Amino acid sequence: MYRRFAEVIVPVSLPLLYTYEIPGTFLSQCVEGARVVVPFGKSKFYSAIVRRITDVCPQNCEVKEILDVLDTVPIVNAIQFQFWDWIASYYMCSVGEVCRVALPSSLKLESATVLYRTTKPMNLAELKPKEAMLLAAFDDKTTEIELSKTSKYTGLKNNIALVKNLIALDYLVADKVIEEKYKPKFAKFVSLADSITTEAELRGTLDTLAQKSPKQFETLMTFLTMSQTKATDGRIAVRNEMERKTLMQNPRVSPAALTALISKSLLRETEREVSRIAVYDGDIQLCNPLTETQESAYNTIQQLFENKSTVLLHGVTGSGKTEIYIKLINEIISQGKQVLYLLPEIVLTSQIIRRLQKVFGDEVGIYHSKISDGERAEMWHRLCSPEAKSYKLIVGVRSAIFLPFKELGLVIVDEEHDGSFKQQDPAPRYHARDCAIVLAGLHGAKTLLGSATPSIETYYNATSGKYGLVELLHRYSTAGLPEINIIDTLEAARCSSMKSIFSSFLIGEIDHTIKQGQQVMLFKNRRGFSPYVECQTCGWVPTCENCDVSLTYHKHENRLVCHHCGYVMEMPHQCKSCGDNTLTTKGFGTEKIEDEIKIFFPDARITRLDADVTTSRQRYERIIYEFEHGLADIIAGTQMISKGFDFKNLRLAGVLGADAMLCFPDFRAEERAFQLLTQVSGRAGRSTERGKVVIQTSQPHNHVFEDILNGDYKNFYKRVIAERSMYAYPPFTRLIRLQMKHKDSHFLDDCAATLASSLRKVFGAGVLGPEYPVLPRIQNMYIKEILLKISRNHYGIQAKNCILAAIGNLRTGVSKGGLIININVDPQ
């Protein structure tokens, strides 16, 4: 008998492909890249991706059958499989982990336990109150409840024991089910009935309704007006339809009257599939002409692309890099190819998208975590479907690299230096910039990296000839780069010229700017009101019960919050150590900046942009829109406000507490500080009038501030690259961080020491640690880290296999479970 088998990728953290037999009924449907439902383990079902089809039957193991085929066309193409394999190899994870991150949630199916009510009558004498509450939830409309949703009815976090007892008592039965999460969206549309063909018939109908059914008359008239249904030469010429939901939003429309008009066949109602993704219906405009400098940069990029697959565009803030991007995008789209435009932050996409849609209309697709999962799944289907109209330009954050591109011609990575391109958890811990370069290479496409402050590694690659290099050293506008003022806060305090957290100089500049009708940006890379609260009598500081970190005070909610695990404590009225009531806040964050600035400028319109207020896409888009259109005078925020925004009326940027960025035990601290402060400075004065920047610091003579003051990236780079070379840090070495976690600190110490000793036999002095990190305990797990410095000449598959072998030997030898080891290649 002829048998065929499918090797599939299951979205789990296991290193293998798994083989299943293809039943005869699915032989013609099962293709590489399609999703199939497979049993996994004793009682689980997953949707897996078919990697390859083979005639070879695995030996010495039971081969299960595929239960269902979910896709008629592949949703993962051959290039994506190559890309996934590279990510799994380079970042030392499984292909299943890559699959789990790559696919939208709606396309990843996992079996769920569903509970069904039996016919046994309820006997309250043998039931506990919570059990009775759960049984009471079953009625004629609710015939089944997912186990994961039972907390909604009982109020308990864990209902396993409760449900087991109800099953034992024969009140419930359980079953495993798996169903497609992504379903096409359908909507109802209303149009004038085909039976009404002339204007006379329509008028007669309206006259009759006006006399007998005024509500129906008003509803029909409203529909005709809203749908712009028109008559020409006595006949109905324009018979537009409109969505019922839109029509019902008009207060003149009665639901009962609309239903009556449909039942009388005066209006026709139809249902059809609609897109979840909004269509751009604004005006389309031509690309803005480039300046002579921009045109020269554009031509140089094109020339470099003839010999280089990757080019760095190093342009100062406000130099017009986006206009060059737009012309390049237009060129690629005209060739019938696709473009991927990567941005580091979701908050950037709304402003950039509006700009791109004015040029490219509805050819622009949007992909990031703030759009609904249904929209992401629809985007995925549209890109891989041969029939549907595909997008030519995708704008997104790091996850957009996983989309199923067919004809990728160009990848643009804007603000390529930004740390947000690095995925931290879960695996794969990939860097989207580096992955984008590989993805472009697989498609035979080009990559353009853009930044005013390139990462040290990228600039090294550009100056050493690996990448092409194009530089824009002057702003697009005539105003030039902003004037930068460094304020010594220690000296200001000594001279009594500090007003709360603001220097007198900064207060004066804010006052002048607002009086001129211009805007102010205040930056502090810490959210919340205060980093910690301290007792002035005994020094007690409230800390998280799950993590070794002080709790951040949020004044608006009057509570203390852990930013690592989410633990919350009400603000205590007195010290829990000595009982005194001398608790006071220490330090400040963006919430305090917003609070304090209102004292000095009570009439100013003030807003804030940080993770605490941008809880939804609509919320952050509204904040950006209001500031962009002059509805706010001052905006306070974290790093969110530093990246790529173009606010025409922003004259002044103030940086508070700049020292904190430098006082961090990381070899990248100076680089990050320089990049962040330069980016914040670059938001000011982007129109005709020169902007001003005020940086408050207690270390005014630090080399970083001197380079920022002089606008001298190259001097900064020379100094940092010399230090990196001396101490063997990237780009001269590769780094791999092994992070080990366990609830038992003594057990963790032993495991970390054993692993480090094993690795030193291979890598010698390149093994640093194990050491406790700055935060040695998070979510009740103790943490130890080992850092590997590997020469670029010795970095490869062999080195990675040695690391994986050492980890495997450790896991085999330990007597206690629960040890977590995370591998982070190229940690940021």
Side-chain angles (χ1 to χ4, degrees):
M1 180 180 175
Y2 181 67
R3 300 172 70 192
R4 301 213 76 186
F5 303 89
E7 293 180 352
V8 304
I9 301 171
V10 183
V12 294
S13 304
L14 294 172
L16 304 174
L17 296 180
Y18 295 87
T19 304
Y20 291 83
E21 185 169 359
I22 306 172
T25 53
F26 294 138
L27 278 174
S28 60
Q29 303 172 40
C30 192
V31 295
E32 292 181 2
R35 290 174 304 151
V36 293
V37 178
V38 296
F40 194 78
K42 291 184 178 180
S43 59
K44 295 282 285 187
F45 303 98
Y46 282 96
S47 61
I49 303 292
V50 178
R51 181 68 178 88
R52 60 180 64 90
I53 295 175
T54 178
D55 297 328
V56 180
C57 178
Q59 300 299 313
N60 303 320
C61 65
E62 178 191 358
V63 180
K64 299 177 181 179
E65 286 191 344
I66 287 172
L67 302 178
D68 197 7
V69 177
L70 298 175
D71 301 307
T72 56
V73 297
I75 66 165
V76 179
N77 59 45
I79 291 179
Q80 283 178 285
F81 282 132
Q82 293 180 56
F83 186 47
W84 289 10
D85 289 341
W86 178 85
I87 291 176
S89 173
Y90 186 85
Y91 291 103
M92 301 175 70
C93 63
S94 69
V95 179
E97 288 173 312
V98 180
C99 174
R100 188 171 59 193
V101 168
L103 294 176
S105 296
S106 294
L107 301 183
K108 300 191 296 271
L109 311 185
E110 184 176 341
S111 60
T113 300
V114 176
L115 305 173
Y116 297 92
R117 181 74 167 88
T118 66
T119 56
K120 179 181 178 179
M122 193 186 303
N123 180 6
L124 294 177
E126 63 177 353
L127 293 172
K128 296 176 182 178
K130 294 291 184 181
E131 294 171 344
M133 288 171 65
L134 179 57
L135 292 179
F138 289 89
D139 54 30
D140 293 338
K141 294 181 180 179
T142 305
T143 58
E144 60 183 56
I145 296 176
E146 280 190 30
L147 175 61
S148 61
K149 297 179 180 177
T150 52
S151 298
K152 172 182 174 183
Y153 305 102
T154 65
L156 299 174
K157 288 185 178 180
N158 189 340
N159 291 287
I160 299 294
L162 180 148
V163 168
K164 281 185 175 179
N165 190 47
L166 288 174
I167 292 173
L169 293 171
D170 197 31
Y171 284 107
L172 295 177
V173 292
D175 193 14
K176 295 281 185 181
V177 298
I178 184 168
E179 63 177 350
E180 183 75 85
K181 293 180 185 176
Y182 173 74
K183 296 178 182 177
K185 181 181 178 182
F186 288 86
K188 293 180 179 180
F189 289 82
V190 178
S191 60
L192 188 66
D194 293 336
S195 57
I196 302 176
T197 59
T198 66
E199 184 177 9
E201 290 173 344
L202 180 58
R203 287 187 179 278
T205 298
L206 289 169
D207 289 341
T208 302
L209 292 175
Q211 295 176 12
K212 297 183 177 180
S213 306
K215 284 284 186 184
Q216 294 178 28
F217 169 78
E218 187 175 30
T219 296
L220 182 56
M221 283 297 297
T222 303
F223 165 77
L224 295 172
T225 303
M226 292 180 67
S227 65
Q228 297 183 331
T229 299
K230 296 178 182 177
T232 304
D233 297 330
R235 302 192 66 80
I236 306 298
V238 180
R239 196 184 295 269
N240 292 329
E241 65 176 5
M242 66 181 304
E243 193 173 344
R244 178 173 178 144
K245 178 181 175 182
T246 305
L247 181 63
M248 292 300 299
Q249 291 172 349
N250 192 307
R252 295 168 62 100
V253 174
S254 163
L258 180 60
T259 301
L261 290 169
I262 294 169
S263 65
K264 291 179 178 179
S265 297
L266 299 177
L267 291 178
R268 183 181 64 180
E269 185 177 74
T270 56
E271 186 177 54
R272 69 167 186 270
E273 184 180 342
V274 295
S275 174
R276 291 176 169 85
I277 302 169
V279 177
Y280 177 75
D281 57 359
D283 297 328
I284 301 295
Q285 62 186 35
L286 297 175
C287 301
N288 293 327
L290 301 183
T291 65
E292 185 177 338
T293 304
Q294 290 172 330
E295 189 69 41
S296 175
Y298 171 81
N299 292 331
T300 305
I301 291 169
Q302 294 284 50
Q303 292 168 11
L304 287 170
F305 274 153
E306 294 178 6
N307 300 306
K308 304 282 187 184
S309 58
T310 304
V311 173
L312 169 64
L313 176 58
H314 175 209
V316 299
T317 55
S319 57
K321 295 186 290 294
T322 306
E323 295 300 333
I324 296 174
Y325 298 158
I326 289 173
K327 186 165 183 179
L328 284 167
I329 292 167
N330 196 47
E331 173 69 20
I332 297 298
I333 288 179
S334 68
Q335 298 172 14
K337 297 181 179 179
Q338 296 169 304
V339 178
L340 171 60
Y341 190 139
L342 287 178
L343 292 161
E345 291 274 7
I346 295 168
V347 292
L348 276 178
T349 57
S350 56
Q351 193 178 54
I352 292 292
I353 285 165
R354 288 197 300 271
R355 196 167 174 182
L356 293 172
Q357 284 179 328
K358 287 180 180 179
V359 179
F360 302 107
D362 58 8
E363 289 189 319
V364 180
I366 307 158
Y367 196 83
H368 55 68
S369 62
K370 290 294 185 182
I371 63 174
S372 71
D373 192 66
E375 288 176 290
R376 291 199 296 277
E378 183 175 322
M379 173 82 70
W380 191 287
H381 277 298
R382 189 177 292 192
L383 284 170
C384 64
S385 171
E387 296 87 12
K389 179 187 175 184
S390 188
Y391 293 102
K392 291 299 183 183
L393 170 60
I394 298 293
V395 182
V397 293
R398 61 175 183 256
S399 58
I401 62 171
F402 294 111
L403 285 167
F405 297 100
K406 294 177 185 174
E407 302 169 301
L408 193 60
L410 175 67
V411 178
I412 296 171
V413 186
D414 199 12
E415 311 292 354
E416 65 81 26
H417 66 276
D418 199 281
S420 299
F421 282 122
K422 174 70 174 178
Q423 163 88 354
Q424 299 300 339
D425 282 307
R429 295 170 180 84
Y430 65 95
H431 198 297
R433 175 199 62 212
D434 300 337
C435 290
I437 294 171
V438 174
L439 177 67
L442 292 172
H443 281 272
K446 304 297 183 182
T447 306
L448 181 64
L449 309 176
S451 177
T453 54
S455 69
I456 297 298
E457 289 93 330
T458 297
Y459 200 72
Y460 175 82
N461 287 332
T463 53
S464 63
K466 183 177 181 180
Y467 301 162
L469 176 62
V470 180
E471 297 191 294
L472 280 172
L473 302 179
H474 301 284
R475 277 196 161 185
Y476 175 81
S477 67
T478 58
L481 292 170
E483 173 193 338
I484 298 177
N485 300 269
I486 308 292
I487 304 299
D488 185 346
T489 52
L490 294 179
E491 179 64 20
R494 190 181 66 82
C495 299
S496 301
S497 61
M498 287 295 294
K499 299 180 178 180
S500 181
I501 56 179
F502 309 102
S503 64
S504 296
F505 182 83
L506 178 56
I507 289 292
E509 289 297 327
I510 295 172
D511 184 54
H512 174 75
T513 302
I514 293 176
K515 286 178 178 176
Q516 294 293 315
Q518 295 170 315
Q519 293 172 301
V520 177
M521 173 184 287
L522 297 175
F523 168 79
K524 172 68 176 177
N525 204 22
R526 181 182 286 274
R527 59 191 172 103
F529 186 86
S530 175
Y532 65 101
V533 173
E534 184 180 67
C535 174
Q536 294 294 87
T537 303
C538 71
W540 174 77
V541 175
T543 57
C544 176
E545 64 177 22
N546 306 314
C547 313
D548 287 337
V549 64
S550 60
L551 296 172
T552 301
Y553 176 52
H554 288 250
K555 185 178 179 181
H556 181 69
E557 296 92 0
N558 193 35
R559 61 183 188 173
L560 301 168
V561 179
C562 175
H563 288 171
H564 296 276
C565 72
Y567 172 76
V568 176
M569 174 195 292
E570 293 301 317
M571 179 65 176
H573 299 293
Q574 60 186 30
C575 175
K576 291 190 176 181
S577 177
C578 69
D580 213 334
N581 59 357
T582 57
L583 292 176
T584 184
T585 58
K586 296 287 185 178
F588 62 95
T590 49
E591 188 181 0
K592 185 170 183 177
I593 292 174
E594 181 187 29
D595 206 51
E596 293 284 303
I597 203 67
K598 289 177 181 177
I599 298 172
F600 295 99
F601 302 98
D603 297 327
R605 297 167 298 174
I606 302 166
T607 189
R608 176 162 54 98
L609 186 68
D610 57 31
D612 292 328
V613 296
T614 55
T615 52
S616 67
R617 176 176 58 172
Q618 293 75 17
R619 176 66 174 153
Y620 73 69
E621 285 182 352
R622 184 171 67 82
I623 293 171
I624 294 166
Y625 178 87
E626 288 176 353
F627 194 72
E628 187 178 11
H629 289 80
L631 301 177
D633 303 307
I634 301 173
I635 186 169
T638 56
Q639 54 160 352
M640 287 184 175
I641 63 175
S642 69
K643 303 171 183 178
F645 287 118
D646 189 3
F647 299 123
K648 301 297 183 185
N649 199 37
L650 179 62
R651 175 186 173 272
L652 176 65
V655 179
L656 288 77
D659 320 314
M661 289 179 278
L662 295 169
C663 304
F664 199 78
D666 190 328
F667 75 96
R668 297 186 193 273
E670 281 197 357
E671 179 185 2
R672 290 193 184 118
F674 180 87
Q675 290 166 342
L676 200 48
L677 293 173
T678 302
Q679 292 290 335
V680 172
S681 302
R683 299 314 107 209
R686 294 173 70 94
S687 55
T688 55
E689 185 177 344
R690 189 183 185 193
K692 185 171 283 192
V693 180
V694 179
I695 299 176
Q696 294 188 172
T697 174
S698 60
Q699 305 175 38
H701 302 298
N702 188 292
H703 292 304
V704 171
F705 296 122
E706 291 177 8
D707 292 333
I708 292 170
L709 193 61
N710 298 325
D712 194 346
Y713 174 83
K714 291 184 178 180
N715 185 67
F716 167 78
Y717 170 78
K718 288 176 183 177
R719 181 167 50 79
V720 172
I721 202 70
E723 293 175 357
R724 298 274 183 95
S725 177
M726 183 183 304
Y727 296 108
Y729 277 106
F732 302 102
T733 57
R734 293 282 191 183
L735 298 183
I736 299 178
R737 179 185 292 140
L738 305 179
Q739 186 185 70
M740 308 176 70
K741 298 181 180 181
H742 200 273
K743 291 185 177 181
D744 185 335
S745 62
H746 299 296
F747 177 75
L748 179 65
D749 289 341
D750 293 340
C751 289
T754 301
L755 181 58
S757 176
S758 177
L759 292 170
R760 283 195 177 93
K761 294 176 183 177
V762 180
F763 300 105
V767 180
L768 304 181
E771 294 290 345
Y772 284 104
V774 176
L775 298 177
R777 184 176 65 102
I778 295 179
Q779 296 182 358
N780 285 321
M781 299 287 281
Y782 291 94
I783 303 170
K784 268 205 160 177
E785 294 181 343
I786 298 172
L787 186 67
L788 300 178
K789 281 186 182 180
I790 305 175
S791 166
R792 296 179 75 89
N793 297 329
H794 298 94
Y795 183 80
I797 296 296
Q798 187 175 357
K800 292 177 180 176
N801 287 340
C802 290
I803 296 169
L804 293 174
I807 293 173
N809 291 336
L810 174 66
R811 290 191 184 281
T812 303
V814 298
S815 58
K816 188 183 295 186
L819 178 65
I820 297 172
I821 302 178
N822 293 327
I823 305 174
N824 194 344
V825 179
D826 300 336
Q828 297 291 306

